[in-house]
Amino acid sequence: MTQPITFYVGHQGRGHANRAMAIIGALPADRAVTILTARPALFDGFARDVAITALPDEADAAYSPPPLLSAQPTPDIMHRAPLGDAAIRRSMRTILEHLDTVDPALFVIDVSAEIALLARIASVPAIGIRMHGNRGDPAHLAGYQACVGLLAPFDEALEQRDTPDWIRARTCYTGGLCTTQDIVPTKAEARTRLGLDPQREIVVVLTGGGGAGTPYAPLTMAARALPDTQWLVLGPVQREGHETDFGNLDMRGWVSGITDYLAAADVVVASAGDTIVHEIARVGRPYVCAPEWRYFDEQVRKAERLAELGAAIALFNWPGASTPWRGLLDAAKALAPEALTMLQADAAAAAAARYLEGMAVALWARPTTG
């Protein structure tokens, strides 16, 4: 039996787990897979036979360090390293015991600089999943150096201009990895399915589950500015309590069949999460990209690059008045559709799986003699 490939999967939102399942599903059937995650429920219903080991959820652990421990500086090559936290110690022990037991050919880390360093110290070859953002700090660079390779689940065209050459050279770019596989309907078909007016201008506003949600107040300004436009708001929203509701502002919350909503839209206003970007690119709708706050400016840097490529209109600050909205929508409609659609690749998960399988074989190959 071949050595397994082990995945460490972050549990912020659903994107990391969905990406892992897409890649794992494309691996050869005879390649065993194990998963380490603090939220095993994210993999409920996954068709592939995998062994999941639950990690302690450090966010749920109530730990208040003594003042002197809390005051200790964090080493430059780490992002989060509090002292005296038993939950972290249990996580590290669980990871090391798992790796020692299964002896993986590869350890795919999505994402953690500290876990990459731990893998190298433990003599386990790791592949780091790359994300956008300001990641030139010592911790990220050390994590990249600790890995035997890096995997970017996005198109090389979306790479940031300031990424060092040595990181680019170690990176496998899969093309934009979209985890949604629903058939993309025409706009007319999608509106019929959803019971929407076939002629009215429709804007879909969308964010994922990794943050606080779309701010509601600016959307009320948009609805007021364009009363003939229907605004469909999907996912969570942030309310301040003083907003005025409008009849053309339709709060739908969490929905199934996101592809239908995107296909029904004339314009999509959405955050810059990996999953959302590639879902919009797959459907090919004009895109106003409103990045959410993330560590290391991940979404801001991605929005900047999308704008540089002419793939989206970047909205770094939600308008505080009604007047900008017509211009934002018209600017998005004026973009060349192919600048966005080219960033998604139907075969991205398969490309990632080929890379991982190839590394799992090549790293352990011994020269033949004779």
Side-chain angles (χ1 to χ4, degrees):
M1 184 177 178
T2 58
Q3 290 173 276
I5 294 178
T6 294
F7 285 73
Y8 169 86
V9 180
H11 59 279
Q12 180 74 10
R14 294 196 59 89
H16 300 286
N18 288 341
R19 178 160 59 210
M21 286 188 281
I23 296 171
I24 292 168
L27 286 168
D30 62 348
R31 177 64 71 179
V33 175
T34 69
I35 296 172
L36 289 156
T37 180
R39 287 180 62 193
L42 291 171
F43 294 89
D44 286 353
F46 186 31
R48 173 95 181 221
D49 183 20
V50 296
I52 300 178
T53 294
L55 297 174
D57 191 343
E58 297 162 15
D60 290 341
Y63 172 64
S64 178
L68 190 56
L69 279 183
S70 181
Q72 299 305 308
T74 300
D76 288 343
I77 60 167
M78 295 180 178
H79 291 137
R80 181 175 181 269
L83 292 171
D85 191 332
I88 292 178
R89 190 161 57 247
R90 287 195 299 272
S91 289
M92 298 304 103
R93 182 172 65 248
T94 301
I95 292 170
L96 288 173
E97 288 178 349
H98 182 93
L99 295 175
D100 196 33
T101 300
V102 306
D103 186 25
L106 277 181
F107 187 21
V108 183
I109 301 170
D110 189 2
V111 289
S112 169
E114 286 86 359
I115 301 301
L117 293 174
L118 181 71
R120 185 58 186 255
I121 293 169
S123 196
V124 177
I127 300 290
I129 302 293
R130 285 196 47 219
M131 302 177 72
H132 286 80
N134 295 318
R135 300 183 189 268
D137 57 277
H140 275 111
L141 297 181
Y144 294 154
Q145 290 171 338
C147 291
V148 297
L150 303 169
L151 191 150
F154 50 83
D155 193 280
E156 189 171 3
L158 204 53
E159 180 64 271
Q160 294 169 200
R161 296 180 184 274
D162 58 355
T163 300
D165 289 342
W166 69 267
I167 293 178
R168 292 173 184 257
R170 302 187 74 191
T171 299
C172 169
Y173 298 91
T174 67
L177 200 164
C178 181
T179 58
T180 300
Q181 299 300 318
D182 296 342
I183 295 173
V184 178
T186 66
K187 184 184 293 185
E189 290 170 340
R191 293 192 177 193
T192 297
R193 290 182 192 174
L194 298 172
L196 300 173
D197 189 326
Q199 301 300 324
R200 191 176 187 182
E201 181 180 53
I202 293 176
V203 177
V204 168
V205 183
L206 171 66
T207 192
T214 304
Y216 182 60
L219 299 182
T220 65
M221 303 300 290
R224 178 178 181 173
L226 303 170
D228 295 328
T229 299
Q230 184 174 8
W231 299 78
L232 301 178
V233 185
L234 313 182
V237 296
Q238 303 175 55
R239 292 178 180 268
E240 298 185 36
H242 52 66
E243 298 91 346
T244 300
D245 296 324
F246 289 88
N248 61 327
L249 185 55
D250 188 350
M251 313 299 293
R252 300 264 172 133
W254 292 111
V255 300
S256 58
I258 188 68
T259 300
D260 285 348
Y261 282 90
L262 295 177
D266 292 297
V267 179
V268 177
V269 179
S271 57
D274 281 339
T275 300
I276 288 175
V277 168
H278 294 126
E279 283 181 335
I280 300 169
R282 179 170 174 262
V283 176
R285 288 294 179 267
Y287 181 15
V288 176
C289 181
E292 294 184 274
W293 187 94
R294 289 293 186 273
Y295 287 105
F296 311 110
D297 285 333
E298 172 201 330
Q299 290 204 11
V300 169
R301 295 304 308 275
K302 194 185 307 174
E304 289 173 348
R305 191 68 189 126
L306 286 166
E308 289 170 355
L309 294 172
I313 299 298
L315 182 65
F316 297 112
N317 296 292
W318 289 92
S322 57
T323 49
W325 280 104
R326 181 74 270 162
L328 285 169
L329 301 189
D330 289 344
K333 290 179 180 180
L335 296 173
E338 59 271 15
L340 178 61
T341 57
M342 67 166 286
L343 299 179
Q344 187 269 333
D346 290 339
R354 283 195 303 272
Y355 170 69
L356 295 179
E357 179 65 17
M359 290 291 283
V361 172
L363 287 170
W364 294 93
R366 298 182 182 276
T368 57
T369 59

